Amino acid sequence: MKFAIGVILGLLLFPLLGVLYVTSGRMPAAATDPPMPFEGAIAGVALNARIRRAAPTRNVSGFTTQELVSGADIYQNDCAFCHGLPQQPMPTAAQGEYPRPPQLFTPDGRVSDDPPGVTYWKVKNGIRLTGMPSFEKSLTDYQLWQVTTLVSRADNLPPEVLSSLKPLPSPAIGSSGALALPTPPASKPQ
Ligand code: HEC
């Protein structure tokens, strides 16, 4: 009897403590908050298990330089904002994100060791509760593979491809970061 009461109380107590924690205002919700206990481990295990089940296998060694250049154009438009460009400092947005987006052209952030199918899965589906978007709706399957192949070969890209990964000049924004608006006509002398 005591045992049964213990089990019932236990069953009630755990969800109750969970609800109290979530509604207490103490659970980390800001990008700048420290991680919850075990957050990294749980999220990592869930993600890896999911990807192992679902990632396709594909040999991307046949992609041509031209296809990699197309991948670099996609990267410039959709990824560089968070994942950075070769030989460039970490972009401003990336510095304030939690979790940090790996800088895909640095030795620490490269995904060259991952099977391309795993990287493709991440780009296609995104990574929940992180800044990593899903590109399934905005890129075609061919484009997904082009940009996947680009980042999978980040350690070994031909010069034509690297030159497509230079920072783009932003015509409307001056070096001071101010918008270059047309100067208003000088007011009439009084
Ligand atoms: C708004 C920011 C943002 C944009 C834009 C973005 N990502 Fe990400 N990406 C992230 C973050 C944050 C992570 C880290 C997620 C994590 O820690 O699990 C990530 C993770 C990844 C990973 C997994 C890296 C690893 O080590 O496993 C790959 C690959 C990736 N992104 C590729 C891309 C590509 C390709 C694009 C463009 C098509 C892109 N991302 C656009 C924020 C972004």
Side-chain angles (χ1 to χ4, degrees), residues 42-154:
I42 295 172
V45 170
L47 181 68
N48 290 333
R50 174 79 198 275
I51 294 177
R52 261 198 306 275
R53 279 176 57 128
T57 42
R58 176 166 178 183
N59 181 347
V60 293
S61 59
F63 274 71
T64 63
T65 299
Q66 194 44 53
E67 286 171 311
L68 290 173
V69 168
S70 303
D73 292 341
I74 298 165
Y75 187 89
Q76 287 271 15
N77 285 328
D78 289 335
C79 324
F81 172 75
C82 290
H83 289 293
L85 291 166
Q87 323 289 339
Q88 295 299 315
M90 189 186 279
T92 5
Q95 292 172 24
E97 275 182 70
Y98 183 86
R100 283 269 171 90
Q103 298 300 290
L104 297 176
F105 291 95
T106 61
D108 282 352
R110 276 202 294 253
V111 289
S112 330
D113 289 343
D114 293 346
V118 167
T119 297
Y120 165 88
W121 189 95
K122 292 175 182 171
V123 181
K124 182 177 178 190
N125 299 292
I127 303 176
R128 206 176 175 83
L129 300 182
T130 79
M132 177 61 194
S134 154
F135 288 91
E136 186 177 19
K137 298 225 166 72
S138 51
L139 297 176
T140 65
D141 199 57
Y142 183 38
Q143 289 175 316
L144 288 171
W145 279 109
Q146 286 173 329
V147 75
T148 293
T149 307
L150 173 89
V151 298
S152 301
R153 294 211 207 141

